[in-house]
Structures are given as C-alpha cells and as structure tokens.
Amino acid sequence: MHARASKANCDNGRESRSQGSGSRGARTVDHLKEPEVCDVESRKDVAMLNFKELHKLNAKLKALCHVQKELIANLEAQAILKNEDRESMMCVNDWQDNLLMFWKDHINNSYDHPKRSWHEPEGLEGPEGFQPEDEGKLGEVALTKSYENLMLELTEMSAELILYNEEARETSLQELAISVRAGWKAAFILRHGSAVPLQTTLSPADRMEFTFVEWLFARSLARHRQARDPSLWGPVPSVKVLKVQKIESRTFLQRYMQRRGELLEQRAGQSCEALRDIRTMIGKSLQNRRSIEEVCHCPDSGVNLNEVLLFHGSPSAKINGILANGFDPRYAGEGTGAMFGQGTYFAHNASKCFRYGDDDAAETGGLRQTVLLVRALLGAPYYQDYMSPDQRMPPANSDSVVVLTRAEGGCVDHREYVLYEGASCLPVYLIDFEHLPACGCLMCGW
C-alpha cells in the first residue's frame, strides 16, 4: 500500500508540473528532479521490507534455538534415566552373582560331605523292612535329587544373568553413543566471542563432555618403546581419567578465528586435501583390535580445513603458561629437543604425550599427569619422512607438517603433527589422569 501510494503521489506531481509549466526549460528541470524523489521513496520502501523480512527471520531463528535447547535437555534427561536403569541392572547382576556363588558353595559342600550335611525331611518314613544301615543310601538318593534340582535352578539363573548382562551392555553403549555425539557437538562448535570470557577460565566439564573426552582419550592409547631397552615394546598404558576441565578464552578464540579466516582467503573458498589417517597398528598384540580412524576430525561447515582434535603434553608449569598466553612455537624444544623444527608438537595418541609431562609420583604412589586436548587447524599438511631440526615454517604451499611413521616410510613410531603458528591451536579441554598400579607403560616401567 505504501509503495502504491508513493507511486501515485509521484504521478500526480508529474501531471501538475507538466500542466503548470510555461516554458520548456522549466519542464526540463522538473523532469530531472522527479526520478530523484521517486528513487528515494522506493529505497525507503525496500529498506522497510528488508527490515521486516530480517525481523521475521530473526524470530524464526530464536524459535529454532529454543527448540534445539529443549531437544538437548530432553536428550540429557533420557541419558540420565538410562544411566539409572543401567545402575539398577548392575545391582541386580551383583546380587545374582553372589547368589550363584552361594549355591555353588552349598552344592559342593553337600556333595563332598553327604552324611554330615544331609538332614532327613520330617515325615519321611522308610519302606517296610527299613534298617538303620540303609539311612546312608536313602540320604544319597535324596541328595542326588536335590543336587539335580539345584543344578536346574542354577542353569536358569545363569541364563537370566546372561540376559541381564546383555541388556546392561546395550544400555551402556546407547548412553555412550549419546554422550559421544553430544561431546563432539560441544567440541566442534565455535561459540560467538561475546559469549566467551575474555580471560582464560577453567570450568568442570559436564557429564556428557567428560564421557566423550574419556572415550577419546582411552581409544587413543597405544604401545610405546621401553625407555631402558628401545628394542622392546611396553604394554598399552592402564590409566584412569580423574578430571576434565573445559577451557574458554575469548582471546584464544579470536586468534583462532582470525587464522581460520586467513586460510579461507588463501584457499579462495577451496577445500584442502583430506588428511590421510593411519590404519597401521604397531605390535602383534594389537592386531586383534578393531581398525579405527586414529585422527579425530571436527565436522566441517562447507570448506574442509583439516580441523582435528589432538593431544599435547607438557610439564605443569608450561601448561599453566599455555593457559595464560596460548601456544608459542618460539619455545619449542626446551628440555625435549625439536626434531622437526621450531613449532608446537601434537599427537593423536594421548600416550605419546606422557613422556613430555610431569613424572613425579602422587602421594598415593601412582603417577599423575595432565595433558591438553586442542583443536588444531592443519590446513594443507606436508607429509614429512625425515628430521629437520632447523625448520622454522612449513614448506611452500602447506600450513603444517605431518611426520609419518616408520610403517608409512617415515622416521617415528607414532605420527606427530607440527604447527608453526600459535594461533592455529585452540585449547579445548584440560585432562587430569593417573596411572593405575598395574600400568607398565614407558613411564611406569622405568
């Protein structure tokens, strides 16, 4: 309506001016002014329409955000209920295990000492001519029947126990899948800077995030060479995750987003070649393990920049410095050497980071350590199979260095990832864990 009214006003003005003009020059001036007035009105109308459309779109986005929050809350509530059901099933399983052990002990004792443990039921009378010396035979017959009945009951209980165990395992796997999916979402979503604290803050990870990080940490553990005799391989580490803290920093996030934007401009909107993952397991004892992708990709939003989750190990003092100021490749190699130049080193095997962390035993006697889980922006990787201690930047047309394993024709046992830009690393989680008494890894086997 507003647009039509404006058009009508312009037409009326044009007619009145054409009728009232007495000279050609006046008509020419009026003719030059008319489009300018109409264009201004039209632009206002278009701007008003665009504003209304944006307002409607914003309302739809708010409604969608509300629905997503409700869905996440619903999933969390379902996970809590499934966890309670799983705990109840585990209690039932424990009770059945104890009952089975009791009946087994009872049956063995009755079978080994029939005369001592047999008690004649009340009202049982022997046949005509029954003699006291036949009491033992009668007891053995009754005991055999009792033993058969108990074995039948024991078989039924064992079948029920297997069924309960399968249900508990299925429930546990479903809960793990929900937590892993939610953890992935929390790890790969980059929040808006205004929603993140300016200074670095640590907050306890929620239950789903903890489950996801614990799963990612455990599945990445691998065998490593022993320190005393490098020709021998130690077992897979046996560790327990104690605490997971979420790392938030507006400064780190803005640096990372700026670096990400630079890569997008350099690539002109083109995706990088997908990262080549390892599928070669080192060590005969690992051949029975399921082949999995050892590099954990963050989901891409249109353009693949090879953003992955990797682990980084350092002593506690250096980790505190990283949390305060971020990663600084200029300090690479202090105390540990720099086989591949002045960069920041990462691994997709958390166990590879153990040797670079603290090695002091806790008061309880077990070794406690800390590692960082970071989001790394690898971009276009350069696959390197040789050492380069003097390197200061990645080779031309590449953004990072991926050191290949001996199984891939390289020079290390487990892949290493080297970044020469501190802004290409975004700390996500801080993981505290301890080595269990049975652990015989490269740290505990010294």
Side-chain angles (χ1 to χ4, degrees):
M1 291 294 292
H2 185 72
R4 288 197 295 270
S6 299
K7 183 178 180 181
N9 292 335
C10 292
D11 294 339
N12 294 334
R14 187 183 301 113
E15 292 176 0
S16 61
R17 282 191 294 271
S18 62
Q19 293 175 2
S21 301
S23 65
R24 183 177 181 181
R27 286 196 300 270
T28 303
V29 173
D30 292 339
H31 178 71
L32 293 175
K33 291 182 179 179
E34 287 169 5
E36 181 180 355
V37 176
C38 295
D39 290 343
V40 172
E41 295 295 334
S42 300
R43 285 197 296 270
K44 289 182 179 179
D45 295 340
V46 172
M48 182 62 67
L49 291 175
N50 290 340
F51 176 78
K52 290 181 179 179
E53 292 296 331
L54 289 175
H55 183 72
K56 292 179 181 179
L57 181 59
N58 186 36
K60 292 180 180 179
L61 290 175
K62 287 183 178 180
L64 180 60
C65 181
H66 179 70
V67 172
Q68 288 179 336
K69 289 181 180 180
E70 290 183 349
L71 179 60
I72 292 174
N74 188 19
L75 290 174
E76 291 178 350
Q78 291 180 6
I80 292 174
L81 291 176
K82 290 182 178 180
N83 188 37
E84 293 176 354
D85 294 340
R86 183 175 62 86
E87 293 177 354
S88 300
M89 289 183 180
M90 292 177 65
C91 292
V92 172
N93 291 339
D94 293 340
W95 174 78
Q96 287 189 334
D97 287 337
N98 295 332
L99 186 61
L100 287 172
M101 293 299 299
F102 169 78
W103 281 115
K104 286 180 179 179
D105 294 339
H106 179 72
I107 290 171
N108 292 333
N109 293 334
S110 300
Y111 186 77
D112 293 338
H113 308 284
K115 293 184 179 180
R116 184 175 61 186
S117 59
W118 168 255
H119 300 282
E120 183 177 347
E122 297 181 0
L124 179 63
E125 298 180 358
E128 185 177 356
F130 175 76
Q131 300 296 328
E133 58 269 14
D134 296 332
E135 180 179 359
K137 296 181 180 180
L138 180 61
E140 290 179 1
V141 173
L143 180 60
T144 301
K145 293 182 179 180
S146 177
Y147 178 79
E148 293 176 351
N149 292 334
L150 288 176
M151 287 299 299
L152 179 61
E153 184 177 356
L154 184 63
T155 303
E156 294 176 353
M157 292 178 65
S158 298
E160 292 180 358
L161 180 61
I162 293 174
L163 180 61
Y164 276 121
N165 286 333
E166 291 178 352
E167 292 179 355
R169 181 176 178 274
E170 184 65 25
T171 301
S172 179
L173 290 176
Q174 291 178 359
E175 180 186 356
L176 176 62
I178 293 174
S179 298
V180 168
R181 284 195 295 267
W184 267 122
K185 183 176 181 180
F188 81 78
I189 288 181
L190 294 173
R191 300 172 60 189
H192 192 274
S194 60
V196 179
L198 180 61
Q199 302 297 329
T200 303
T201 60
L202 298 176
S203 58
D206 60 31
R207 184 176 59 84
M208 288 189 176
E209 289 178 311
F210 180 92
T211 302
F212 164 70
V213 174
E214 183 183 41
W215 167 80
L216 187 63
F217 182 89
R219 75 192 282 262
S220 73
L221 301 178
R223 301 175 65 203
H224 297 268
R225 296 181 186 273
Q226 294 184 1
R228 294 180 179 177
D229 188 354
S231 64
L232 300 178
W233 290 78
V236 177
S238 178
V239 298
K240 177 182 179 182
V241 176
L242 302 176
K243 182 171 62 176
V244 176
Q245 293 176 282
K246 191 171 184 177
I247 305 170
E248 292 183 303
S249 170
R250 189 187 309 173
T251 302
F252 296 166
L253 179 60
Q254 290 175 345
R255 292 176 187 172
Y256 185 83
M257 293 299 294
Q258 182 178 356
R259 175 60 179 160
R260 195 174 190 275
E262 292 173 356
L263 283 184
L264 285 174
E265 291 181 0
Q266 293 175 9
R267 297 294 164 188
Q270 300 296 323
S271 297
C272 299
E273 182 182 353
L275 188 68
R276 300 204 308 256
D277 296 341
I278 306 175
R279 292 187 179 276
T280 303
M281 297 293 186
I282 301 177
K284 294 182 179 179
S285 63
L286 298 180
Q287 290 180 352
N288 296 327
R289 290 176 59 182
R290 185 178 61 180
S291 178
I292 56 177
E293 289 189 0
E294 297 185 11
V295 178
C296 304
H297 293 274
C298 294
D300 301 308
S301 55
V303 179
N304 175 28
L305 296 179
N306 285 324
E307 295 179 86
V308 296
L309 295 181
L310 300 173
F311 296 96
H312 176 80
S314 289
S316 298
K318 290 187 177 181
I319 286 183
N320 292 334
I322 293 172
L323 295 177
N325 304 309
F327 289 97
D328 192 344
R330 293 177 300 176
Y331 297 103
E334 291 186 352
T336 57
M339 295 173 58
F340 306 100
Q342 193 172 9
T344 307
Y345 293 70
F346 301 92
H348 64 257
N349 295 115
S351 49
K352 185 172 180 60
C353 304
F354 293 177
R355 69 169 66 230
Y356 305 106
D358 295 326
D359 55 2
D360 296 331
E363 296 180 358
T364 57
L367 179 63
R368 297 188 63 170
Q369 293 185 295
T370 302
V371 297
L372 286 169
L373 180 62
V374 305
R375 178 169 176 160
L377 186 62
L378 299 181
Y382 176 78
Y383 298 96
Q384 187 166 308
D385 56 3
Y386 56 89
M387 297 184 186
S388 55
D390 297 328
Q391 193 163 319
R392 295 293 180 268
M393 62 182 64
N397 300 322
S398 61
D399 306 302
S400 62
V401 168
V402 177
V403 185
L404 298 177
T405 66
R406 291 184 175 87
E408 299 174 300
C411 54
V412 293
D413 292 327
H414 302 274
R415 264 194 187 182
E416 297 187 30
Y417 304 81
V418 189
L419 289 168
Y420 302 88
E421 287 280 350
S424 297
C425 322
L426 179 64
V428 182
Y429 293 105
L430 184 67
I431 309 171
D432 293 324
F433 63 97
E434 68 175 354
H435 295 248
L436 299 178
C439 182
C441 70
L442 77 161
M443 298 298 297
C444 300
W446 283 4

